[in-house]
Structure formats: structure tokens, C-alpha cells
């Protein structure tokens, strides 16, 4: 299988990571829950170590990327503060795909088509390793939180509730 843009970006940057695969069940529409169920059991990781990537609309045709643990929800108010805007809302699916180059359920915070401002939830720093989408449904990257933050030039803030 060819490397996704996320995997290629990590390799080009020399960032230590591991790629974990599972067979995505097309009947599953809650991609994060599927990753937690499969990868948590297979790798013995806690649900809070598996992160989802959500794209938010920051107004004025700007998008941002919020990365937070799958079991938690995004606080749009906290995200807006972290991005330095008055209000944030969830981005439309077409805008997400157009900006990131990834399909929903496979959006990686790394290697996006358009460089978007990324905010990683501060809870990531409590783990030695975290998992995030590698840019395709059923494909995860496992890496140190500091490396995820560096690879995305992310801001760290408490954005999850």
C-alpha cells in the first residue's frame, strides 16, 4: 500500500512513528468508536490515547483542525478561544475534504493538502504515545504527543469536554 500524505510527511520529517492497520467495516459510521474498539483491544491502549481529527469553521472562510480524544467532545467555545476567534462551528464535509485532501473518517492532522492551524487537546501530553488517523479509514499512526504537536505546528489547549 502506498504511503498516505500523513505517513509521507512523518517519514520526510524523520519523526518516529508506527503505522497500525485494521479493516474498516463500511457499516460503521462512527469512525472514532471503531478505532477505539479495534485498536484499543489490539494494542492495549486506553480510549483516551486515540485521537480524532475534527475540522472547524472559524469564519471568514478559514478552517482550523481540532485534535482530541475520541471519547470526548469538542468544546466549540474552547476551540474558538484556542484559535483566537469569537466563534467556531463544525465545518461542512465538502470543505473538510477540499482543504485536507482526506475523506471523513480518515482525516489526519498530519500531511494535509492545505496547511491549517491545528490545536491538540492538552490531554495528549499525559501519554507516552497517542494514535491518530494516518489519512485513510482503518489506518492509524502511533507517535509521541510531542512529535504530533511538532509535525503539525500545533497549539496545545484544553478543547475537549
Amino acid at each position: 500500500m502506498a504511503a498516505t500524505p500523513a505517513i509521507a510527511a512523518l517519514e520526510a520529517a524523520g519523526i518516529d512513528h508506527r503505522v497500525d492497520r485494521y479493516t474498516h467495516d463500511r457499516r460503521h459510521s462512527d469512525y472514532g468508536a471503531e478505532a477505539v474498539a479495534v485498536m484499543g483491544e489490539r494494542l492495549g491502549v486506553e480510549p483516551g490515547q486515540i485521537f480524532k481529527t475534527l475540522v472547524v469553521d472559524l469564519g471568514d472562510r478559514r478552517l482550523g483542525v481540532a485534535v482530541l480524544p475520541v471519547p470526548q467532545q469538542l468544546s466549540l467555545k474552547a476551540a474558538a478561544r484556542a484559535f483566537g476567534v469569537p466563534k467556531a462551528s463544525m465545518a461542512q464535509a465538502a470543505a473538510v475534504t477540499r482543504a485536507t485532501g482526506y475523506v471523513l473518517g480518515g482525516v489526519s492532522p498530519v500531511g494535509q493538502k492545505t496547511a491549517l492551524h491545528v490545536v491538540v487537546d492538552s490531554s495528549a501530553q499525559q501519554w507516552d504515545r497517542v494514535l491518530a488517523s494516518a489519512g485513510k479509514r482503518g489506518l492509524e499512526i502511533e507517535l509521541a504527543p510531542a512529535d504530533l504537536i511538532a509535525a503539525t505546528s500545533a497549539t496545545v489547549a484544553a478543547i475537549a469536554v
Side-chain angles (χ1 to χ4, degrees):
M1 171 165 66
T4 64
I7 296 168
L10 292 174
E11 289 174 354
I15 293 176
D16 181 44
H17 67 284
R18 184 173 109 178
V19 178
D20 298 302
R21 292 177 175 82
Y22 62 92
T23 302
H24 165 63
D25 182 345
R26 292 177 189 256
R27 295 171 296 172
H28 235 295
S29 61
D30 188 341
Y31 308 110
E34 181 184 32
V36 165
V38 175
M39 300 313 290
E41 183 177 317
R42 183 183 299 162
L43 300 176
V45 297
E46 295 295 322
Q49 286 180 265
I50 303 173
F51 282 66
K52 58 187 169 187
T53 306
L54 302 177
V55 180
V56 293
D57 185 330
L58 305 174
D60 295 328
R61 305 176 66 104
R62 293 180 301 144
L63 300 175
V65 177
V67 183
L68 62 150
V70 168
Q72 294 188 279
Q73 292 188 8
L74 176 64
S75 165
L76 289 170
K77 285 184 180 186
R81 277 192 304 275
F83 286 110
V85 297
K87 185 179 175 187
S89 61
M90 296 307 298
Q92 297 294 319
V96 172
T97 300
R98 190 170 42 254
T100 66
Y102 297 121
V103 298
L104 295 184
V107 177
S108 178
V110 181
Q112 296 179 356
K113 184 172 149 184
T114 303
L116 300 173
H117 183 178
V118 177
V119 175
V120 173
D121 185 68
S122 56
S123 67
Q125 296 176 311
Q126 75 182 3
W127 305 104
D128 291 335
R129 311 272 297 164
V130 294
L131 283 84
S133 176
K136 184 177 178 185
R137 294 175 189 154
L139 200 60
E140 298 284 313
I141 48 174
E142 184 178 347
L143 68 170
D147 289 336
L148 174 62
I149 293 161
T152 59
S153 300
T155 301
V156 177
I159 57 171
V161 292

